[in-house]
Amino acid sequence: MTTETASASPDNKYHHGNLRLALLDAAIAQIKDVGVDKLSLRGIARTVGVSQTAPYRHFKDKNQLLADVAAQAFIELYERSYSLIDPNASALENIQATGMAYLQYAIENPEKYRLLFGSSIKNRRSYSAMVEAGEQSFRILIDQVERGIKAGDFIPGCPLLLANTLWTQVHGSASLILDGFYQDRELPMPFDDFLKAQIMIASRALLLNPMPISLDKNRI
Amino acid sequence: MTTETASASPDNKYHHGNLRLALLDAAIAQIKDVGVDKLSLRGIARTVGVSQTAPYRHFKDKNQLLADVAAQAFIELYERSYSLIDPNASALENIQATGMAYLQYAIENPEKYRLLFGSSIKNRRSYSAMVEAGEQSFRILIDQVERGIKAGDFIPGCPLLLANTLWTQVHGSASLILDGFYQDRELPMPFDDFLKAQIMIASRALLLNPMPISLDKNRI
DNA sequence: GCTTATATGTTTTCAGTGTCAACATAGGTA
DNA sequence: TACCTATGTTGACACTGAAAACATATAAGC
């Protein structure tokens, strides 16, 4: 979602007014309905009603357009996660809540998620805006891990390490969902519970003194 | 690695002899050095020295060629994992060993791993040989989880759920490695230890009675 | 107001892709 | 011998990302 509306000066045949935003919006739309790897620069130029090379005035190449879209999406993801952090809740609760929100984002925006973490974008490291937006999201998790350690709930390990362990679990979960790994697969419980249970198990690993067993054998 | 050598009848201008294998081999080679998404059917046809449409006699389309390569790679991965299972070792030890081997495979064969779990292959579910090869690998993990439960070491939960939690962690870890997430990033310890520590933490979640804290604060 | 530079468009073109249809040939079989 | 089928080839189509050369509208300096 871009902040401004895409058309600024209305009847300006030649100069579009705000082509850059219009292209980004069209790209997001196209990603959503044809998928990130069927997205074509020419296609989005066509839907915006502009020549096929016009986008090159605003983006060095297709890769940069994708990186810019991704940066936006990372911010979206960050805001969504951040809004769920409750300073009064325990670190564990916050972690589990944001973990589920993360999965939900991936499920609701599969193609965007693929853009964020797939290999559509080359040379990720060289798009600093995108990288920083991504790291901002990650820092939410690190912060909560640090809180949990300080509160004496979690193992007193390196926060980056612990946070990363959690993140990789959730990220792997998302990847497998999007790759259709769970389609036509019999699960022992509703899908949502399945995901939640995994997050609970994974976060149990951080607890200094986890319950000997906190899961009902029949439910899980 | 295909089992037979690719050229059967030597001087047969028109009929190649074993084009199918030759194409698969060329595909693997091309994946290794230009990457899975820069692989082109025409390119591999060229290196094999055959017309650009010849591959269509052996593969319905590019997607099917990729799926066939992936099936092979899954078997590779399976064999590598299976060879590490020691019936006399504990489930936990086996799980940690295969987990590290899995990451090592991903690091050594980044483009192959991307092929296996990225979105290069469309409609994965419809390539049953590939799907089954993949599930075979996963079953190794499930088996060990079941062993751990029976031995009274692990939480008595649904093995699929527990195994999946572990797998998603390792898979996520691999994805982030390949996406260059750890490049130019300061880590609190050597990279290999970093990965191993995460696997240890993640598998700690399965233990019925994990050590209150088993990690030295300074090392981790 | 006039000129001029710059940002933002367009046209044209190139090299590359996956895939299809039509045709050619070699080897095995009736 | 005649033919069928598997396996090749040629040529074409409809795409793609991208570069080069050209056009125009807006903004800045005088």
Side-chain angles (χ1 to χ4, degrees), chain A residues 159-197:
Chain A
L160 173 64
L161 174 72
L162 300 183
N164 215 66
T165 306
L166 292 176
W167 183 31
T168 53
Q169 192 275 316
V170 174
H171 171 56
S173 204
S175 303
L176 294 175
I177 293 168
L178 297 197
D179 286 348
F181 184 79
Y182 300 113
Q183 279 167 17
D184 324 324
R185 182 180 277 275
E186 271 187 48
L187 295 180
M189 64 193 78
F191 188 54
D192 220 58
D193 293 347
F194 186 73
L195 299 178
K196 204 173 297 180

mmCIF file of all heavy atoms in Angstrom, chain A residues 159-197:
data_model
loop_
_atom_site.group_PDB
_atom_site.id
_atom_site.type_symbol
_atom_site.label_atom_id
_atom_site.label_comp_id
_atom_site.label_asym_id
_atom_site.label_seq_id
_atom_site.Cartn_x
_atom_site.Cartn_y
_atom_site.Cartn_z
ATOM 1 N N PRO A 159 21.366 -13.519 22.564
ATOM 2 C CA PRO A 159 20.012 -13.252 22.041
ATOM 3 C C PRO A 159 19.897 -13.478 20.534
ATOM 4 O O PRO A 159 18.893 -14.016 20.064
ATOM 5 C CB PRO A 159 19.787 -11.786 22.399
ATOM 6 C CG PRO A 159 20.691 -11.521 23.531
ATOM 7 C CD PRO A 159 21.894 -12.373 23.319
ATOM 8 N N LEU A 160 20.946 -13.079 19.817
ATOM 9 C CA LEU A 160 20.901 -13.282 18.367
ATOM 10 C C LEU A 160 20.740 -14.751 18.025
ATOM 11 O O LEU A 160 19.953 -15.141 17.166
ATOM 12 C CB LEU A 160 22.184 -12.731 17.726
ATOM 13 C CG LEU A 160 22.361 -13.019 16.234
ATOM 14 C CD1 LEU A 160 21.262 -12.347 15.422
ATOM 15 C CD2 LEU A 160 23.725 -12.559 15.737
ATOM 16 N N LEU A 161 21.472 -15.564 18.733
ATOM 17 C CA LEU A 161 21.407 -17.000 18.494
ATOM 18 C C LEU A 161 20.025 -17.557 18.810
ATOM 19 O O LEU A 161 19.433 -18.295 18.020
ATOM 20 C CB LEU A 161 22.453 -17.707 19.355
ATOM 21 C CG LEU A 161 22.412 -19.234 19.324
ATOM 22 C CD1 LEU A 161 22.919 -19.752 18.001
ATOM 23 C CD2 LEU A 161 23.223 -19.817 20.468
ATOM 24 N N LEU A 162 19.525 -17.174 19.947
ATOM 25 C CA LEU A 162 18.230 -17.718 20.363
ATOM 26 C C LEU A 162 17.115 -17.211 19.455
ATOM 27 O O LEU A 162 16.247 -17.974 19.013
ATOM 28 C CB LEU A 162 17.948 -17.326 21.818
ATOM 29 C CG LEU A 162 18.985 -17.835 22.830
ATOM 30 C CD1 LEU A 162 18.582 -17.450 24.253
ATOM 31 C CD2 LEU A 162 19.155 -19.335 22.729
ATOM 32 N N ALA A 163 17.148 -15.930 19.172
ATOM 33 C CA ALA A 163 16.105 -15.358 18.312
ATOM 34 C C ALA A 163 16.155 -16.018 16.941
ATOM 35 O O ALA A 163 15.122 -16.331 16.333
ATOM 36 C CB ALA A 163 16.308 -13.853 18.175
ATOM 37 N N ASN A 164 17.367 -16.226 16.476
ATOM 38 C CA ASN A 164 17.523 -16.813 15.159
ATOM 39 C C ASN A 164 16.968 -18.234 15.097
ATOM 40 O O ASN A 164 16.374 -18.636 14.105
ATOM 41 C CB ASN A 164 19.012 -16.828 14.805
ATOM 42 C CG ASN A 164 19.223 -16.593 13.350
ATOM 43 O OD1 ASN A 164 18.929 -15.518 12.859
ATOM 44 N ND2 ASN A 164 19.677 -17.616 12.657
ATOM 45 N N THR A 165 17.146 -18.950 16.170
ATOM 46 C CA THR A 165 16.608 -20.306 16.209
ATOM 47 C C THR A 165 15.091 -20.284 16.055
ATOM 48 O O THR A 165 14.508 -21.075 15.314
ATOM 49 C CB THR A 165 16.989 -20.988 17.535
ATOM 50 O OG1 THR A 165 18.400 -20.916 17.701
ATOM 51 C CG2 THR A 165 16.558 -22.441 17.532
ATOM 52 N N LEU A 166 14.472 -19.362 16.749
ATOM 53 C CA LEU A 166 13.021 -19.244 16.647
ATOM 54 C C LEU A 166 12.615 -18.811 15.244
ATOM 55 O O LEU A 166 11.681 -19.351 14.648
ATOM 56 C CB LEU A 166 12.500 -18.215 17.651
ATOM 57 C CG LEU A 166 12.614 -18.616 19.107
ATOM 58 C CD1 LEU A 166 12.143 -17.467 19.989
ATOM 59 C CD2 LEU A 166 11.782 -19.860 19.374
ATOM 60 N N TRP A 167 13.322 -17.827 14.753
ATOM 61 C CA TRP A 167 12.932 -17.286 13.457
ATOM 62 C C TRP A 167 13.063 -18.341 12.364
ATOM 63 O O TRP A 167 12.187 -18.500 11.519
ATOM 64 C CB TRP A 167 13.781 -16.068 13.106
ATOM 65 C CG TRP A 167 13.368 -15.453 11.829
ATOM 66 C CD1 TRP A 167 12.105 -15.434 11.297
ATOM 67 C CD2 TRP A 167 14.208 -14.780 10.898
ATOM 68 N NE1 TRP A 167 12.108 -14.790 10.098
ATOM 69 C CE2 TRP A 167 13.384 -14.381 9.826
ATOM 70 C CE3 TRP A 167 15.556 -14.474 10.864
ATOM 71 C CZ2 TRP A 167 13.888 -13.686 8.733
ATOM 72 C CZ3 TRP A 167 16.047 -13.778 9.780
ATOM 73 C CH2 TRP A 167 15.219 -13.388 8.722
ATOM 74 N N THR A 168 14.174 -19.069 12.399
ATOM 75 C CA THR A 168 14.350 -20.081 11.363
ATOM 76 C C THR A 168 13.215 -21.093 11.413
ATOM 77 O O THR A 168 12.743 -21.533 10.365
ATOM 78 C CB THR A 168 15.698 -20.806 11.525
ATOM 79 O OG1 THR A 168 15.821 -21.292 12.843
ATOM 80 C CG2 THR A 168 16.851 -19.880 11.202
ATOM 81 N N GLN A 169 12.770 -21.409 12.602
ATOM 82 C CA GLN A 169 11.671 -22.368 12.680
ATOM 83 C C GLN A 169 10.429 -21.806 11.991
ATOM 84 O O GLN A 169 9.817 -22.467 11.147
ATOM 85 C CB GLN A 169 11.360 -22.715 14.145
ATOM 86 C CG GLN A 169 10.431 -23.921 14.306
ATOM 87 C CD GLN A 169 8.967 -23.567 14.207
ATOM 88 O OE1 GLN A 169 8.511 -22.581 14.775
ATOM 89 N NE2 GLN A 169 8.217 -24.374 13.461
ATOM 90 N N VAL A 170 10.085 -20.602 12.329
ATOM 91 C CA VAL A 170 8.873 -20.016 11.764
ATOM 92 C C VAL A 170 9.031 -19.795 10.259
ATOM 93 O O VAL A 170 8.118 -20.061 9.481
ATOM 94 C CB VAL A 170 8.550 -18.687 12.469
ATOM 95 C CG1 VAL A 170 7.381 -18.012 11.800
ATOM 96 C CG2 VAL A 170 8.232 -18.943 13.922
ATOM 97 N N HIS A 171 10.183 -19.340 9.881
ATOM 98 C CA HIS A 171 10.429 -19.108 8.458
ATOM 99 C C HIS A 171 10.375 -20.422 7.675
ATOM 100 O O HIS A 171 9.778 -20.497 6.596
ATOM 101 C CB HIS A 171 11.793 -18.445 8.273
ATOM 102 C CG HIS A 171 12.225 -18.353 6.859
ATOM 103 N ND1 HIS A 171 11.474 -17.740 5.886
ATOM 104 C CD2 HIS A 171 13.323 -18.833 6.226
ATOM 105 C CE1 HIS A 171 12.111 -17.831 4.715
ATOM 106 N NE2 HIS A 171 13.232 -18.493 4.909
ATOM 107 N N GLY A 172 10.955 -21.446 8.237
ATOM 108 C CA GLY A 172 10.892 -22.748 7.576
ATOM 109 C C GLY A 172 9.459 -23.225 7.470
ATOM 110 O O GLY A 172 9.036 -23.753 6.436
ATOM 111 N N SER A 173 8.715 -23.009 8.515
ATOM 112 C CA SER A 173 7.311 -23.388 8.505
ATOM 113 C C SER A 173 6.577 -22.675 7.376
ATOM 114 O O SER A 173 5.849 -23.294 6.593
ATOM 115 C CB SER A 173 6.702 -23.014 9.857
ATOM 116 O OG SER A 173 5.571 -23.780 10.141
ATOM 117 N N ALA A 174 6.807 -21.390 7.278
ATOM 118 C CA ALA A 174 6.155 -20.608 6.224
ATOM 119 C C ALA A 174 6.540 -21.124 4.842
ATOM 120 O O ALA A 174 5.687 -21.301 3.965
ATOM 121 C CB ALA A 174 6.536 -19.135 6.361
ATOM 122 N N SER A 175 7.817 -21.389 4.657
ATOM 123 C CA SER A 175 8.284 -21.857 3.353
ATOM 124 C C SER A 175 7.578 -23.149 2.958
ATOM 125 O O SER A 175 7.120 -23.304 1.828
ATOM 126 C CB SER A 175 9.785 -22.119 3.385
ATOM 127 O OG SER A 175 10.461 -20.966 3.783
ATOM 128 N N LEU A 176 7.509 -24.048 3.919
ATOM 129 C CA LEU A 176 6.903 -25.340 3.600
ATOM 130 C C LEU A 176 5.417 -25.198 3.320
ATOM 131 O O LEU A 176 4.868 -25.891 2.458
ATOM 132 C CB LEU A 176 7.156 -26.327 4.739
ATOM 133 C CG LEU A 176 8.638 -26.668 4.905
ATOM 134 C CD1 LEU A 176 8.848 -27.545 6.118
ATOM 135 C CD2 LEU A 176 9.164 -27.364 3.660
ATOM 136 N N ILE A 177 4.777 -24.295 4.026
ATOM 137 C CA ILE A 177 3.360 -24.048 3.738
ATOM 138 C C ILE A 177 3.204 -23.574 2.305
ATOM 139 O O ILE A 177 2.405 -24.096 1.534
ATOM 140 C CB ILE A 177 2.782 -22.977 4.682
ATOM 141 C CG1 ILE A 177 2.749 -23.487 6.116
ATOM 142 C CG2 ILE A 177 1.379 -22.575 4.233
ATOM 143 C CD1 ILE A 177 2.465 -22.404 7.141
ATOM 144 N N LEU A 178 4.006 -22.583 1.937
ATOM 145 C CA LEU A 178 3.862 -22.000 0.602
ATOM 146 C C LEU A 178 4.244 -22.987 -0.498
ATOM 147 O O LEU A 178 3.727 -22.907 -1.611
ATOM 148 C CB LEU A 178 4.715 -20.738 0.474
ATOM 149 C CG LEU A 178 4.352 -19.601 1.398
ATOM 150 C CD1 LEU A 178 4.961 -18.316 0.909
ATOM 151 C CD2 LEU A 178 2.857 -19.449 1.539
ATOM 152 N N ASP A 179 5.133 -23.891 -0.178
ATOM 153 C CA ASP A 179 5.519 -24.873 -1.180
ATOM 154 C C ASP A 179 4.512 -26.007 -1.270
ATOM 155 O O ASP A 179 4.729 -26.984 -1.974
ATOM 156 C CB ASP A 179 6.899 -25.445 -0.852
ATOM 157 C CG ASP A 179 7.996 -24.450 -1.161
ATOM 158 O OD1 ASP A 179 7.705 -23.445 -1.831
ATOM 159 O OD2 ASP A 179 9.147 -24.674 -0.744
ATOM 160 N N GLY A 180 3.429 -25.875 -0.532
ATOM 161 C CA GLY A 180 2.357 -26.863 -0.647
ATOM 162 C C GLY A 180 2.667 -28.171 0.044
ATOM 163 O O GLY A 180 2.044 -29.183 -0.231
ATOM 164 N N PHE A 181 3.630 -28.108 0.960
ATOM 165 C CA PHE A 181 4.020 -29.353 1.609
ATOM 166 C C PHE A 181 2.885 -29.957 2.431
ATOM 167 O O PHE A 181 2.829 -31.166 2.638
ATOM 168 C CB PHE A 181 5.226 -29.100 2.505
ATOM 169 C CG PHE A 181 5.773 -30.334 3.142
ATOM 170 C CD1 PHE A 181 6.574 -31.201 2.430
ATOM 171 C CD2 PHE A 181 5.465 -30.646 4.451
ATOM 172 C CE1 PHE A 181 7.058 -32.362 3.014
ATOM 173 C CE2 PHE A 181 5.948 -31.796 5.041
ATOM 174 C CZ PHE A 181 6.750 -32.655 4.321
ATOM 175 N N TYR A 182 1.986 -29.119 2.894
ATOM 176 C CA TYR A 182 0.924 -29.633 3.756
ATOM 177 C C TYR A 182 -0.381 -29.908 3.024
ATOM 178 O O TYR A 182 -1.368 -30.310 3.626
ATOM 179 C CB TYR A 182 0.681 -28.666 4.923
ATOM 180 C CG TYR A 182 1.907 -28.472 5.760
ATOM 181 C CD1 TYR A 182 2.553 -27.250 5.812
ATOM 182 C CD2 TYR A 182 2.439 -29.525 6.484
ATOM 183 C CE1 TYR A 182 3.701 -27.085 6.569
ATOM 184 C CE2 TYR A 182 3.596 -29.364 7.234
ATOM 185 C CZ TYR A 182 4.212 -28.147 7.272
ATOM 186 O OH TYR A 182 5.345 -27.993 8.013
ATOM 187 N N GLN A 183 -0.359 -29.652 1.727
ATOM 188 C CA GLN A 183 -1.578 -29.940 0.967
ATOM 189 C C GLN A 183 -1.782 -31.442 0.868
ATOM 190 O O GLN A 183 -0.832 -32.190 0.654
ATOM 191 C CB GLN A 183 -1.485 -29.329 -0.433
ATOM 192 C CG GLN A 183 -1.814 -27.842 -0.445
ATOM 193 C CD GLN A 183 -1.413 -27.194 -1.744
ATOM 194 O OE1 GLN A 183 -1.186 -27.881 -2.730
ATOM 195 N NE2 GLN A 183 -1.290 -25.884 -1.738
ATOM 196 N N ASP A 184 -3.014 -31.856 0.986
ATOM 197 C CA ASP A 184 -3.365 -33.283 0.914
ATOM 198 C C ASP A 184 -2.576 -34.101 1.919
ATOM 199 O O ASP A 184 -2.303 -35.271 1.690
ATOM 200 C CB ASP A 184 -3.100 -33.890 -0.480
ATOM 201 C CG ASP A 184 -3.385 -32.927 -1.605
ATOM 202 O OD1 ASP A 184 -4.335 -32.144 -1.471
ATOM 203 O OD2 ASP A 184 -2.651 -32.972 -2.604
ATOM 204 N N ARG A 185 -2.175 -33.495 2.990
ATOM 205 C CA ARG A 185 -1.445 -34.260 3.994
ATOM 206 C C ARG A 185 -2.301 -34.360 5.243
ATOM 207 O O ARG A 185 -2.842 -33.363 5.710
ATOM 208 C CB ARG A 185 -0.132 -33.543 4.317
ATOM 209 C CG ARG A 185 0.726 -34.275 5.326
ATOM 210 C CD ARG A 185 1.996 -33.501 5.578
ATOM 211 N NE ARG A 185 2.980 -33.793 4.551
ATOM 212 C CZ ARG A 185 3.815 -34.842 4.606
ATOM 213 N NH1 ARG A 185 3.765 -35.676 5.613
ATOM 214 N NH2 ARG A 185 4.689 -35.053 3.648
ATOM 215 N N GLU A 186 -2.392 -35.549 5.755
ATOM 216 C CA GLU A 186 -3.212 -35.742 6.940
ATOM 217 C C GLU A 186 -2.472 -35.218 8.161
ATOM 218 O O GLU A 186 -1.351 -35.641 8.440
ATOM 219 C CB GLU A 186 -3.509 -37.231 7.136
ATOM 220 C CG GLU A 186 -4.771 -37.682 6.401
ATOM 221 C CD GLU A 186 -5.108 -39.120 6.760
ATOM 222 O OE1 GLU A 186 -5.096 -39.432 7.981
ATOM 223 O OE2 GLU A 186 -5.364 -39.909 5.839
ATOM 224 N N LEU A 187 -3.113 -34.331 8.866
ATOM 225 C CA LEU A 187 -2.499 -33.785 10.062
ATOM 226 C C LEU A 187 -3.282 -34.254 11.279
ATOM 227 O O LEU A 187 -4.481 -34.534 11.194
ATOM 228 C CB LEU A 187 -2.488 -32.252 10.001
ATOM 229 C CG LEU A 187 -1.626 -31.657 8.888
ATOM 230 C CD1 LEU A 187 -1.705 -30.151 8.922
ATOM 231 C CD2 LEU A 187 -0.189 -32.117 9.030
ATOM 232 N N PRO A 188 -2.614 -34.329 12.409
ATOM 233 C CA PRO A 188 -3.272 -34.844 13.615
ATOM 234 C C PRO A 188 -4.220 -33.838 14.254
ATOM 235 O O PRO A 188 -4.858 -34.155 15.249
ATOM 236 C CB PRO A 188 -2.095 -35.147 14.538
ATOM 237 C CG PRO A 188 -1.010 -34.238 14.084
ATOM 238 C CD PRO A 188 -1.188 -34.049 12.613
ATOM 239 N N MET A 189 -4.298 -32.651 13.697
ATOM 240 C CA MET A 189 -5.151 -31.613 14.303
ATOM 241 C C MET A 189 -5.393 -30.528 13.261
ATOM 242 O O MET A 189 -4.749 -30.541 12.207
ATOM 243 C CB MET A 189 -4.440 -31.008 15.511
ATOM 244 C CG MET A 189 -3.162 -30.268 15.146
ATOM 245 S SD MET A 189 -2.124 -29.873 16.542
ATOM 246 C CE MET A 189 -1.346 -31.455 16.847
ATOM 247 N N PRO A 190 -6.312 -29.593 13.543
ATOM 248 C CA PRO A 190 -6.531 -28.497 12.583
ATOM 249 C C PRO A 190 -5.226 -27.778 12.276
ATOM 250 O O PRO A 190 -4.346 -27.671 13.134
ATOM 251 C CB PRO A 190 -7.507 -27.580 13.315
ATOM 252 C CG PRO A 190 -8.230 -28.470 14.256
ATOM 253 C CD PRO A 190 -7.241 -29.512 14.678
ATOM 254 N N PHE A 191 -5.152 -27.293 11.070
ATOM 255 C CA PHE A 191 -3.900 -26.717 10.575
ATOM 256 C C PHE A 191 -3.372 -25.609 11.469
ATOM 257 O O PHE A 191 -2.191 -25.565 11.808
ATOM 258 C CB PHE A 191 -4.130 -26.197 9.161
ATOM 259 C CG PHE A 191 -2.868 -25.771 8.485
ATOM 260 C CD1 PHE A 191 -1.780 -26.629 8.389
ATOM 261 C CD2 PHE A 191 -2.758 -24.511 7.923
ATOM 262 C CE1 PHE A 191 -0.614 -26.245 7.755
ATOM 263 C CE2 PHE A 191 -1.589 -24.110 7.289
ATOM 264 C CZ PHE A 191 -0.516 -24.977 7.207
ATOM 265 N N ASP A 192 -4.276 -24.733 11.848
ATOM 266 C CA ASP A 192 -3.873 -23.609 12.680
ATOM 267 C C ASP A 192 -3.248 -24.080 14.000
ATOM 268 O O ASP A 192 -2.230 -23.550 14.438
ATOM 269 C CB ASP A 192 -5.104 -22.741 12.970
ATOM 270 C CG ASP A 192 -4.763 -21.277 12.922
ATOM 271 O OD1 ASP A 192 -4.288 -20.815 11.866
ATOM 272 O OD2 ASP A 192 -4.977 -20.606 13.951
ATOM 273 N N ASP A 193 -3.872 -25.080 14.584
ATOM 274 C CA ASP A 193 -3.334 -25.622 15.833
ATOM 275 C C ASP A 193 -1.977 -26.270 15.599
ATOM 276 O O ASP A 193 -1.084 -26.212 16.454
ATOM 277 C CB ASP A 193 -4.300 -26.669 16.411
ATOM 278 C CG ASP A 193 -5.602 -26.032 16.867
ATOM 279 O OD1 ASP A 193 -5.647 -24.788 16.954
ATOM 280 O OD2 ASP A 193 -6.568 -26.761 17.116
ATOM 281 N N PHE A 194 -1.870 -26.868 14.436
ATOM 282 C CA PHE A 194 -0.614 -27.526 14.083
ATOM 283 C C PHE A 194 0.529 -26.524 14.081
ATOM 284 O O PHE A 194 1.606 -26.772 14.633
ATOM 285 C CB PHE A 194 -0.778 -28.181 12.714
ATOM 286 C CG PHE A 194 0.386 -29.024 12.269
ATOM 287 C CD1 PHE A 194 0.631 -30.259 12.851
ATOM 288 C CD2 PHE A 194 1.215 -28.594 11.252
ATOM 289 C CE1 PHE A 194 1.694 -31.051 12.434
ATOM 290 C CE2 PHE A 194 2.280 -29.380 10.822
ATOM 291 C CZ PHE A 194 2.522 -30.613 11.425
ATOM 292 N N LEU A 195 0.261 -25.382 13.459
ATOM 293 C CA LEU A 195 1.287 -24.341 13.405
ATOM 294 C C LEU A 195 1.586 -23.796 14.798
ATOM 295 O O LEU A 195 2.737 -23.604 15.188
ATOM 296 C CB LEU A 195 0.831 -23.207 12.485
ATOM 297 C CG LEU A 195 0.570 -23.608 11.030
ATOM 298 C CD1 LEU A 195 0.086 -22.406 10.238
ATOM 299 C CD2 LEU A 195 1.814 -24.218 10.408
ATOM 300 N N LYS A 196 0.502 -23.565 15.524
ATOM 301 C CA LYS A 196 0.665 -22.990 16.855
ATOM 302 C C LYS A 196 1.450 -23.938 17.754
ATOM 303 O O LYS A 196 2.337 -23.519 18.499
ATOM 304 C CB LYS A 196 -0.711 -22.679 17.461
ATOM 305 C CG LYS A 196 -0.686 -21.602 18.518
ATOM 306 C CD LYS A 196 -2.097 -21.204 18.963
ATOM 307 C CE LYS A 196 -2.921 -20.586 17.838
ATOM 308 N NZ LYS A 196 -4.286 -20.187 18.245
ATOM 309 N N ALA A 197 1.138 -25.203 17.641
ATOM 310 C CA ALA A 197 1.826 -26.193 18.467
ATOM 311 C C ALA A 197 3.323 -26.184 18.183
ATOM 312 O O ALA A 197 4.144 -26.282 19.101
ATOM 313 C CB ALA A 197 1.247 -27.581 18.206
#
